[in-house]
Amino acid sequence: MFLIDVVGVRHVQGHQLELKFADGLCAEVDMDKVIKRYSGVFLPLKDDAYFAQVRVDPELGTITWPNGADVCPDVLYSFASGRPIVVNGERVLN
């Protein structure tokens, strides 16, 4: 796991976000790759205007939306950096 907080977010367009991490990494992430698999709390995010309401929650160290949806910062860092998440020696994401 990376354990690196998200410290900045900028909505680019559609479901594209520019993310800045505490270690200085700054990258654009296509959030469709992250959220398209899920429903429930993520359903409102399919609306571009709602999606654009993304903010950083410094207490959680990640991005959130008004309905409480958030994404694990390790998942975001994996997509932003291209580095896989490895658990017990097994690649589980990216």
Side-chain angles (χ1 to χ4, degrees), residues 5-52:
D5 286 353
V6 178
V7 296
V9 63
R10 182 178 70 85
H11 178 245
V12 177
Q13 67 179 0
H15 291 129
Q16 294 284 119
L17 296 177
E18 181 182 84
L19 299 172
K20 184 172 183 181
F21 295 86
D23 69 348
L25 175 68
C26 188
E28 274 193 30
V29 174
D30 178 359
M31 292 299 292
D32 278 337
K33 294 179 181 177
V34 180
I35 63 174
K36 72 178 179 183
R37 310 172 197 184
Y38 305 103
S39 57
V41 73
F42 291 105
L43 282 177
L45 277 57
K46 293 183 181 193
D47 175 75
D48 289 348
Y50 191 84
F51 183 85

